[in-house]
Amino acid sequence: MRIDKYLWCIRYYKTRSIATEAAKKGHITVNGQVAKPSREVFPTDKITLRKDQINYKLVVLEVPLNRLGAKLVDLYRKDETPAEAFEHIALMKLSKEHYRANGTGRPTKKERRDIDDFISDDFENENVEEL
């Protein structure tokens, strides 16, 4: 099975074309070599892919016939991604708050929507109480 189809089947990429683009950009390696989208995958291959600033490390256990349900993915791959990779993402989220603390300056788009929802809820409650 092709590497792009395999990564789509085991749900690392939402579409096969996104998996193909990742392979063309060199984000996917198989056994230490950069893989083209048409590279064949076999059991015991070690795949490294970079997605969302995380370097995932996988071992192919078996090749599926078609796209799998999320619960069946572990039958076809072994995830050897270190836990530190996911901790890095959590640190990045915390660092975003460092640059602009919540409640200072202009509200962000999300904060503005939350404010509008809060105000509209209060306005609706006041009208009900008056009746």
Side-chain angles (χ1 to χ4, degrees):
M1 178 180 282
R2 293 167 52 114
I3 185 73
D4 59 345
K5 187 173 181 181
Y6 176 78
L7 292 173
W8 169 74
C9 284
I10 62 168
R11 299 184 168 269
Y12 272 88
Y13 290 101
K14 189 173 182 178
T15 65
R16 191 166 161 196
S17 62
I18 294 172
T20 302
E21 284 298 315
K24 286 180 181 177
K25 291 179 181 177
H27 295 192
I28 301 170
T29 61
V30 178
N31 298 327
Q33 296 178 338
V34 176
K36 292 182 179 179
S38 61
R39 168 79 156 72
E40 290 292 319
V41 177
F42 302 103
T44 70
D45 280 349
K46 295 181 187 294
I47 299 173
T48 305
L49 64 109
R50 182 160 177 84
K51 180 183 170 200
D52 299 331
Q53 298 182 352
I54 297 176
N55 290 325
Y56 292 95
K57 295 180 181 178
L58 314 170
V59 175
V60 178
L61 299 178
E62 201 172 323
V63 178
L65 297 176
N66 51 12
R67 190 163 165 92
L68 304 168
K71 293 180 181 178
L72 301 175
V73 169
D74 289 333
L75 299 174
Y76 295 92
R77 62 106 172 117
K78 181 179 177 188
D79 193 355
E80 297 179 342
T81 307
E84 296 86 35
F86 298 106
E87 292 171 3
H88 175 71
I89 295 296
L91 288 174
M92 285 183 59
K93 287 181 182 177
L94 290 174
S95 70
K96 287 182 180 178
E97 293 177 4
H98 170 72
Y99 293 107
R100 179 185 169 276
N102 288 340
T104 60
R106 284 180 71 174
T108 63
K109 195 177 214 178
K110 182 182 183 320
E111 291 170 342
R112 186 70 204 164
R113 287 179 181 151
D114 291 342
I115 291 168
D116 290 341
D117 289 342
F118 180 74
I119 291 172
S120 67
D121 289 343
D122 282 349
F123 182 72
E124 290 172 4
N125 291 338
E126 287 178 13
N127 291 338
V128 171
E129 291 174 7
E130 291 175 4
L131 297 174

